[in-house]
Amino acid sequence: MTSSSHHRPGNSDPSFGYDAVADAYCAARSPIGREVVETWTAQLPEGGAVLDVGAGSGDPMTPVLIEAGLDVFAIDASPRLVALYHERFPEARIACEPAETSPFFARTFDGVLAIGLVFLLPEARQRVVLAKMARALNSGGSLLFSAPQQMVSWDDALTGRPSRSLGETGYREILHDEGLDVVATSSDEGSNHYYHAVRPAS
């Protein structure tokens, strides 16, 4: 099933257009951001459970998680990308479903990762997904996600659909309301911006 045959453009497509451009998405993957995730995984407990939200085909981040010895779970709403992920990383568990409704959030994790996803969602859904990710963290757990530092809207380069960042102030407020502390922000060599937040150990 692809979005081009079963979904009209708009929010009815849970993959926000990415199922239809899966081939172009995979061709555009690069190692950019890998070092940020390597630094993040080094702070997680050995053998810890990690959820990758919006994992796509798994490149370039899933190898980082597996090489770190983590127990990997993943979510993506694109059937085509999930099929590619299954082929490449059979040891990881991935579900094809929107983050907002994923049953994986019924359990908790030592780390939650969301690269290139949050800003694809409308503002209300960003808040829902960030809250779910925050509440899925164990005590001392860590969240890493990417979104521009400034409040800005633009059209996605691959799908042409609108993306929007709530800005650092907005994201800090959401995370604070969910009981998380933002411990660092950083940027990679591609000028992508990251937020690193933790649930204080109880």
Side-chain angles (χ1 to χ4, degrees):
M1 183 180 73
T2 66
S3 60
S4 57
S5 60
H6 289 272
H7 294 288
R8 294 181 180 180
N11 291 344
S12 61
D13 176 7
S15 77
F16 288 87
Y18 270 80
D19 197 61
V21 298
D23 292 340
Y25 168 84
C26 292
R29 294 296 82 204
S30 79
I32 289 175
R34 183 182 170 106
E35 289 185 7
V36 174
V37 176
E38 287 174 342
T39 299
W40 177 72
T41 59
Q43 303 171 45
L44 299 177
E46 184 176 353
V50 173
L51 177 63
D52 187 353
V53 185
S57 61
D59 280 324
M61 304 310 178
T62 301
V64 176
L65 305 178
I66 292 173
E67 289 162 14
L70 297 166
D71 188 15
V72 181
F73 298 77
I75 304 166
D76 200 274
S78 162
R80 294 178 67 196
L81 292 175
V82 167
L84 291 169
Y85 188 108
H86 266 306
E87 290 176 10
R88 296 202 57 217
F89 308 106
E91 66 271 48
R93 283 148 289 187
I94 186 166
C96 184
E97 55 206 11
E100 300 97 302
T101 59
S102 175
F104 279 155
F105 285 114
R107 59 158 294 166
T108 57
F109 300 88
D110 299 298
V112 177
L113 177 71
I115 306 300
L117 170 74
V118 171
F119 50 78
L120 299 179
L121 308 174
E123 179 175 348
R125 292 171 76 172
Q126 289 192 40
R127 293 178 179 276
V128 168
V129 170
L130 285 167
K132 282 180 172 285
M133 293 193 294
R135 294 167 191 173
L137 290 174
N138 291 325
S139 175
S142 179
L143 168 65
L144 180 72
F145 72 95
S146 65
Q149 188 172 20
Q150 64 272 38
M151 185 184 296
V152 63
S153 298
W154 70 100
D155 290 335
D156 185 88
L158 286 178
T159 68
R161 299 188 183 208
S163 296
R164 78 263 329 134
S165 167
L166 308 186
E168 182 168 343
T169 298
Y171 290 125
R172 283 181 176 271
E173 288 177 355
I174 294 169
L175 297 171
H176 179 267
D177 288 346
E178 295 299 331
L180 302 191
D181 295 331
V182 176
V183 295
T185 61
S186 61
S187 296
D188 63 24
E189 63 270 38
S191 299
N192 301 296
H193 193 69
Y194 298 82
Y195 300 86
H196 179 197
V198 300
R199 179 167 298 288
S202 56

